[in-house]
């Protein structure tokens, strides 16, 4: 699946996107797998309350299933004005 990182998440990890082979069943499982890879991921995912996630461009939550998902995007909350 494609995993995309935006704003400070991208800056902490050092990548805008990557292809990930995973056996994770949920977004939370994917975050745990990624966090175990390298301290950069751990730093980016340290506080999930400061992150949002979209699955195939639809806003979702961290307990959502990854079954059939092609794209996961992580980004900080947006504010409008």
């Amino acid at each position: 699946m494609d995993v995309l990182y935006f704003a400070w998440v991208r800056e902490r990890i050092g990548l805008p996107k990557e292809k990930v082979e995973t056996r994770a069943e949920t977004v939370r499982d994917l975050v745990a797998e990624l966090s175990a890879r390298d301290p950069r991921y751990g730093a980016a995912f340290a506080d999930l309350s400061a992150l949002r996630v979209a699955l195939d461009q639809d806003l979702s939550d961290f307990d959502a299933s990854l079954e059939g998902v092609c794209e996961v995007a992580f980004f900080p909350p947006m504010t409008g004005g």
Side-chain angles (χ1 to χ4, degrees), residues 5 7 15 22 27 32 35 38 41 43 49 57 63-65:
Y5 309 107
L15 297 170
T22 183
V27 176
S35 294
D38 184 282
Y41 292 90
S49 69
Q57 299 184 8
D63 293 317
S65 171

Side-chain angles (χ1 to χ4, degrees), residues 8-48:
W8 58 259
V9 183
R10 176 180 57 224
E11 292 170 9
R12 289 183 187 172
I13 292 173
L15 297 170
K17 66 179 180 176
E18 63 183 318
K19 286 241 186 246
V20 173
E21 296 287 330
T22 183
R23 292 180 184 232
E25 293 182 11
T26 66
V27 176
R28 195 173 302 279
D29 295 340
L30 176 62
V31 166
E33 281 184 16
L34 293 171
S35 294
R37 280 181 162 185
D38 184 282
R40 297 173 300 152
Y41 292 90
F45 295 120
D47 181 8
L48 295 185

Side-chain angles (χ1 to χ4, degrees), residues 43-61:
F45 295 120
D47 181 8
L48 295 185
S49 69
L51 285 174
R52 298 295 177 264
V53 62
L55 304 179
D56 293 331
Q57 299 184 8
D58 288 324
L59 194 58
S60 192
D61 62 59

Side-chain angles (χ1 to χ4, degrees), residues 2-6 9 15-18 71-75:
D2 291 325
V3 180
L4 289 70
Y5 309 107
F6 294 94
V9 183
L15 297 170
K17 66 179 180 176
E18 63 183 318
E71 180 186 272
V72 179
F74 294 103
F75 51 93

